[in-house]
Structures are given as C-alpha cells and as structure tokens.
Amino acid sequence: MDKFNVITELFKQSKDSEKASAMSAYMKNKFDFYGIPSPERKELCKDFIKSEKAAKGIDWELLDKCYEDNHREMQYLVYDYLLAMKKYLSYEDIDKIKTYITAKSWWDTIDFLCKVIGDIGLRDNRVGRMMIDWSKSDNIWLKRTAIQHQLTYKDKTNTELLEEIIQNCLDTDEFFVNKAIGWALREYSKTSPEWVKVFITKYQNELSSLSIKEASKYI
C-alpha cells in the first residue's frame, strides 16, 4: 500500500461523523472533514512524519495527492509535513507551495502555509521581494500570506518590508486582508509597541477600522 493510501486508511479509521459535521459547519461548509481534531491527527501521523524526516527529502507527489483530496485534514497534513521538513525547503520550492496557497483557499490553510513561507524567508532574503510582489496580487490569499509571513519573527521583523507590504494592501474592504493587517501589527506590537503606534498614526486615514482595532489590542 502506498503512503497516500496508508494515511487515508488511518484517517478513515478515526472518522467521527458528528465532529466532521461540526468542523465543516465551522468552515462555512466549504470542505468535507473526517472529524479528526488537530492533536489526534498529529498523533496518527507521527510515525509517518518521522519516517519522512529520515528520508531527508520532500515527496511532492504525495503532497499533491493530499491537496487534491476532498477531506480538509489531508490539506492540514501537508502543512504538518512541510513544517516538519522545513530544513529541506528552499526558495525554489515556493512556487510549489504557492499552488497550495491558491487552491482550496481559506484562512485555515493560509495561516498555516504562511509560516512555511516565513521560515524560508528567515534563510533567504529573496523571499521579501517575492512577498512584495504577492502583496500587489489580485489574489487575496497571496496578499494575506505576504502580510503574515513575518508573523513570528519578533525582533527579526523587517519593518521596512512590513510597511511596504501593508501599504500595497491598504484601501480595501476585503475582510481577510484587513484582518491580516491588524493581526500582523498586533503581533509586532508585542515586540515594538512604539513602532506600531507610529504606523497607525501615519496610516490612520487609510487603515480600516478592523485593522486598527486588531493592531491596537496590546497598545
């Protein structure tokens, strides 16, 4: 039995129809679920992930199959896999990850995959230029990824890059973009509240009320 079928069987055996219905409803019924909570999913895949790390290479064919699957847990597995294998990812892999960002897009997968992009960005400064390009895209999920890719950087945050990306995303009524702007600023306010205060003042006429509300939570 190949790896994809092994994982599928594991998930099928743990299917919970009641939880699946609730999880689907939470995601606006956009996706089907097996009904496997995140901790249980990670436990089920622990040995598989361990064996993949030992192989020291990304199995993109497997990940493509997982992303094509109708069950949302299979997309979550892609993130778990990529995060576990992050040291084997490089700038050249971003185009592949981009196909996952722009397929079956919703906030849940985007907010995971932007961390994968962000990790590559800590090792390759070419990612910053790419994120500026993404911030100018008509695709809101590429914009959201660009805004949030430095979310966990703390004192490693490139504030010039953050400002330029947000500038490119201003003057929109798109909820998921404005929420991301506020979230990125809020997280950075934990590291540099003064910088965020100055930023909000500078762009207060262009930032949405949602972005300002989120950004101001801790300042």
Side-chain angles (χ1 to χ4, degrees):
M1 189 180 295
D2 67 21
K3 290 185 285 187
F4 177 78
N5 288 327
V6 168
I7 295 165
T8 301
E9 284 303 311
L10 278 175
F11 284 0
K12 284 181 178 178
Q13 291 168 17
S14 298
K15 183 175 181 178
D16 185 318
S17 297
E18 187 174 338
K19 288 180 180 178
S21 180
M23 292 166 80
S24 183
Y26 182 67
M27 289 297 165
K28 308 293 185 183
N29 294 308
K30 289 180 174 290
F31 311 103
D32 294 329
F33 283 83
Y34 283 114
I36 306 172
S38 181
E40 185 178 341
R41 183 189 76 246
K42 291 179 180 180
E43 182 63 26
L44 285 171
C45 298
K46 182 173 66 175
D47 289 342
F48 164 71
I49 294 291
K50 184 178 180 180
S51 67
E52 288 298 295
K53 289 174 75 173
K56 300 181 180 180
I58 308 295
D59 187 342
W60 292 109
E61 183 178 354
L62 169 65
L63 299 186
D64 286 348
K65 286 183 179 179
C66 290
Y67 234 84
E68 290 166 5
D69 192 271
N70 290 331
H71 295 89
R72 199 59 165 168
E73 287 91 346
M74 299 299 280
Q75 281 91 66
Y76 296 159
L77 172 61
V78 171
Y79 162 71
D80 292 338
Y81 182 108
L82 291 174
L83 193 63
M85 303 286 282
K86 61 184 182 181
K87 72 178 182 179
Y88 302 110
L89 292 169
S90 67
Y91 178 83
E92 287 70 28
D93 293 314
I94 294 180
D95 278 346
K96 190 63 180 175
I97 300 167
K98 182 180 178 181
T99 66
Y100 302 147
I101 292 171
T102 55
K104 301 183 179 180
S105 307
W106 198 238
W107 63 264
D108 54 339
T109 50
I110 302 309
D111 293 354
F112 289 149
L113 292 170
C114 71
K115 296 177 184 178
V116 178
I117 299 292
D119 185 76
I120 298 172
L122 285 173
R123 294 180 272 112
D124 194 318
N125 58 20
R126 290 177 293 174
V127 172
R129 180 67 255 173
M130 182 181 286
M131 292 303 100
I132 290 172
D133 291 340
W134 285 16
S135 71
K136 299 174 184 177
S137 171
D138 292 332
N139 185 300
I140 65 169
W141 304 112
L142 290 178
K143 284 181 177 289
R144 187 174 172 101
T145 301
I147 295 164
Q148 294 183 170
H149 85 281
Q150 295 191 90
L151 206 61
T152 61
Y153 280 19
K154 298 181 180 180
D155 59 354
K156 295 179 181 179
T157 299
N158 181 332
T159 53
E160 290 183 5
L161 176 61
L162 179 61
E163 182 168 1
E164 184 172 354
I165 286 171
I166 292 177
Q167 276 184 300
N168 292 338
C169 298
L170 293 173
D171 294 324
T172 178
D173 59 1
E174 173 51 57
F175 173 84
F176 289 109
V177 172
N178 287 330
K179 184 81 170 180
I181 291 171
W183 192 9
L185 292 172
R186 182 186 69 195
E187 285 302 304
Y188 189 57
S189 75
K190 298 174 185 178
T191 298
S192 182
E194 286 304 315
W195 187 91
V196 175
K197 286 179 183 177
V198 170
F199 185 94
I200 292 173
T201 300
K202 182 177 180 180
Y203 294 102
Q204 60 183 335
N205 294 327
E206 298 166 83
L207 286 164
S208 71
S209 58
L210 173 61
S211 296
I212 292 174
K213 179 182 177 182
E214 290 290 327
S216 304
K217 185 173 182 178
Y218 301 125
I219 58 177

